[in-house]
Amino acid sequence: MKSRTRREFVYLTGAMALAALGPRLAASESKARVVVVGGGIGGATAAKYLAVSAPTIEVTLVEPKPNYTTCFFSNLYLAGLCSLDSLTHGYETLAQRYGINVIHDSVAAVDPVAKTVGLKSGPKLTYDRVVVAPGIAFNYDALAGYDEAATQVIPHAWNAGLQTQLLRRQLESMEDGGVFVLVAPPNPFRCPPAPYERASLVAYYFKQHKPRSRILILDAKDSFNAQDLFLDAWERHYRGMIEWLPAQFTGGIKAIDVKERSVKTASETFKAAVANVIPPQRAGQFAQQNGLVDQSGWCPIDPITFESKLQPGIHVVGDASSAGDMPKSAFVANSQAKACAFAIAAALTGSERQSPHLFNTCYTHLGPDDAVSNAVSFKPVAGTIKIVDNFVSQVQESAETRHRTAREAQSWYAAFMRDTFGYAAF
Amino acid sequence: MRKIIAVSIAAGSFIILADRSQAADRDGGAQLAAMCASCHRLDGGDGGIPTILGMSPEMLARAMLAYRSRERPSHIMRAIALSLSDEEIVIVARYLAALNKQVRP
C-alpha cells in the first residue's frame, strides 16, 4: 500500500517533485495516522486529499454503507430526469488508486485521550488526527407527530436513497389533481435552495404527467434562498401550480398527522395527496454523541483548520460544521475538506500550507433546461468565516444562458464526483 | 489597456517566482489546483465545463485575469479569480500546465 501511494504521488506531481520528496520520506520513521469518520462528500474528499497531499500519512475511511447516493441532483430523479443509480458512488477508487484503507463499519465512539476510534465490530483504530464528517440529523423533537417511523409514510427524502425512491413512487401513484404538500424547514438546513428546486422539478413532472395537480409549500420561514429567481421561474414555467405560504401567513407549522396525511399550521390544516416533510436539522448523531456540538446543535470549528473548538485533535467538515457564513452544501463540504486535509498534512509532515481558499457553488434547476447558479468566496476572519464575494444568476437572463447553465451543471456533477470519489487521474 | 497591464503583471511574476523553491511551488500549486478540481476534470475530459489541461501557463494566467476583470463572463470563475493573488494565479497556472504532461492516455 505504501509503494502504491508513493507511486500515485509521484505520478501526480511529476518528476520535478522527486528530489524534494525523497528526503521527506526518508526522514519519517513511521506513518502518521488519520482516521476519517463518514464517507459523504466531506469525508470522502478529506480522505482523498490527505492521501494525495502526504504519502507519509496512512488514511483510513470508516463508513457503514457500501456506497453514497448524492442528495444534490436527487430532485432530477424525482422529476424522472435521471436514475438513482447515476447518483450513487462507491469507494473502490479511493481504496485502489489512492491506497485509502476503507472500512465499512459504524463508529462506536472516539476516545480523544487514548486517541482511538472504536468500531462497532470491536477493533479500535489509533489516530494522530481524526476527521469527522457526520452530516445532518433530523430534530424530530421539534416537529409534533413526525418521527423516524413517520418517514416510512411521509418521507423527508433529505438523505438520498430509499427515502427518495419512496417519494418518487408516491408521486407516480398519485392521481392527477392531487395536492403535493412540501414542508420546508427553518434555517439552517442542508442546501438552502433545494426545497424550492424540488417544488420546481416536481411541478415539471406534474406538467408532463398530471397537469391538474398542485404543489403547496408550507414554509417554517418568511423568505427563502434565491426567492426572486424561483418566483420568476414558477410564473414562467408552472403558472398557477405552485403556492408558497410563509410562516407569517400560516402562523407556522404546528404538527404532522401521518394517518390523515395532513399538516397542521397555526391557522389551518392542509390535507395532502402526497406529503414531503423536511424536518428541522442539526449535526449528525455521531457529533451529538461525541461532545462536538454546542447549543446551536452544530459543531463549532477553527475557521482555518476545521479543528473542533470543543475537542482538540478532532476536525469537523461538511454539513455538521458551524462555519460562519458558509451554507450547508456539497460544494462547501468539498471545499472545507480540502482546507482541512492540507492543514492536517502540514501539521503532521511539516510541509508548507497555503492560506485556505474556501468557496461555494450551487447549481439549481428550475426546469430541465433552465438552471441558475451562484458562486461565493469566503475567508476566515476573527475566528469565523465571512463572505468575500457573492455572484448570483439574475432574473432577466436569456433562455440560452439558462440552458447553458443547465449543461454546465451536468458537467459539474461529473467533475465533482470524480474529484470527491476519485475516478479521475487527479 | 488594462488587459495589457494585467498580463504583463503576470509575466513579471513568472520571473520573480524563479526564486521560489520548487517544493514550495509544488505544494502551493497542488493545493490551488485542488480548488479547480471541484469543477474541472483534471484527467483531460471535457463537457459543459471546458478542460483546463493542455494550455500553457501564460494562457491559463491570461484567462484567469480576463475572468477577474469581467472581460470573460462567468461568475464562478470571477469569484475564484478575485480570491487569488497574481502570484497564486501564476503558481496554479504553472502547476496545471505541468500536470498536463503527466495525464494518462
Side-chain angles (χ1 to χ4, degrees), chain A residues 240-257:
Chain A
M241 289 182 78
I242 302 175
E243 188 178 6
W244 171 70
L245 297 181
Q248 61 189 2
F249 181 87
T250 61
I253 318 292
K254 295 299 171 198
I256 309 298
D257 189 326

Side-chain angles (χ1 to χ4, degrees), chain A residues 61-67 90-92 101-106 119 121:
Chain A
L61 174 63
V62 186
E63 162 59 45
K65 293 198 286 295
N67 47 46
Y91 301 96
E92 297 78 12
N101 179 26
V102 179
I103 299 177
H104 292 297
D105 199 343
S106 297
L119 301 177
S121 63

Side-chain angles (χ1 to χ4, degrees), chain A residues 337-353:
Chain A
K338 287 171 185 172
C340 176
F342 295 140
I344 290 174
L348 294 178
T349 68
S351 64
E352 188 181 344
R353 185 182 59 78

Side-chain angles (χ1 to χ4, degrees), chain A residues 82-361:
Chain A
C82 72
S83 68
L84 211 54
D85 270 358
S86 69
L87 305 179
T88 301
H89 308 274
Y91 301 96
E92 297 78 12
T93 312
L94 291 180
Q96 288 160 16
R97 187 175 297 224
Y98 297 92
I100 294 164
N101 179 26
V102 179
I103 299 177
H104 292 297
D105 199 343
S106 297
V107 170
V110 174
D111 181 339
V113 178
K115 291 198 162 186
T116 58
V117 170
L119 301 177
K120 280 255 165 69
S121 63
K124 284 184 176 170
L125 309 168
T126 56
Y127 68 79
D128 294 293
R129 296 284 174 133
V130 61
V131 180
V132 169
I136 55 162
F138 300 108
N139 188 6
Y140 293 121
D141 298 342
L143 199 50
Y146 194 74
D147 57 15
E148 187 96 48
T151 65
Q152 298 308 308
V153 184
I154 298 178
H156 53 71
W158 219 240
N159 278 328
L162 293 173
Q163 278 282 295
T164 332
Q165 277 177 323
L166 176 59
L167 181 56
R168 169 71 187 172
R169 277 202 302 274
Q170 291 183 354
L171 290 168
E172 281 173 329
S173 54
M174 190 186 108
E175 283 180 23
D176 189 11
V179 179
F180 171 56
V181 175
L182 191 163
V183 174
N187 293 324
F189 62 97
R190 164 186 277 175
C191 202
Y196 314 95
E197 182 194 60
R198 176 168 289 177
S200 309
L201 290 176
V202 169
Y204 168 77
Y205 167 70
F206 284 167
K207 202 173 163 182
Q208 313 300 308
H209 303 284
K210 294 164 192 190
R212 294 191 300 116
S213 306
R214 284 176 51 245
I215 295 166
L216 177 64
I217 305 170
L218 297 174
D219 212 319
K221 307 177 290 301
D222 287 335
S223 62
F224 59 90
N225 184 281
Q227 191 166 335
D228 57 337
L229 290 169
F230 281 108
L231 295 179
D232 166 70
W234 295 346
E235 185 61 21
R236 285 187 293 114
H237 296 307
Y238 318 112
R239 188 172 296 165
M241 289 182 78
I242 302 175
E243 188 178 6
W244 171 70
L245 297 181
Q248 61 189 2
F249 181 87
T250 61
I253 318 292
K254 295 299 171 198
I256 309 298
D257 189 326
V258 175
K259 211 180 273 178
E260 291 294 315
R261 219 182 279 266
S262 66
V263 180
K264 188 168 182 271
T265 69
S267 61
E268 215 178 319
T269 296
F270 299 89
K271 183 140 175 58
V274 173
N276 171 207
V277 172
I278 306 165
Q281 292 156 40
R282 59 187 178 193
Q285 206 184 0
F286 180 87
Q288 310 280 341
Q289 290 167 346
N290 286 277
L292 296 164
V293 168
D294 67 13
Q295 308 90 315
S296 72
W298 305 94
C299 306
I301 45 87
D302 175 277
I304 295 169
T305 62
F306 291 87
E307 187 169 3
S308 167
K309 285 182 175 170
L310 304 175
Q311 300 282 358
I314 303 181
H315 300 246
V316 185
V317 297
D319 291 348
S321 73
S322 178
D325 290 343
M326 295 189 94
K328 302 187 184 308
S329 76
F331 201 104
V332 158
N334 172 278
S335 185
Q336 291 180 348
K338 287 171 185 172
C340 176
F342 295 140
I344 290 174
L348 294 178
T349 68
S351 64
E352 188 181 344
R353 185 182 59 78
Q354 308 293 304
S355 53
H357 288 270
L358 297 167
F359 295 97
N360 182 43
T361 292

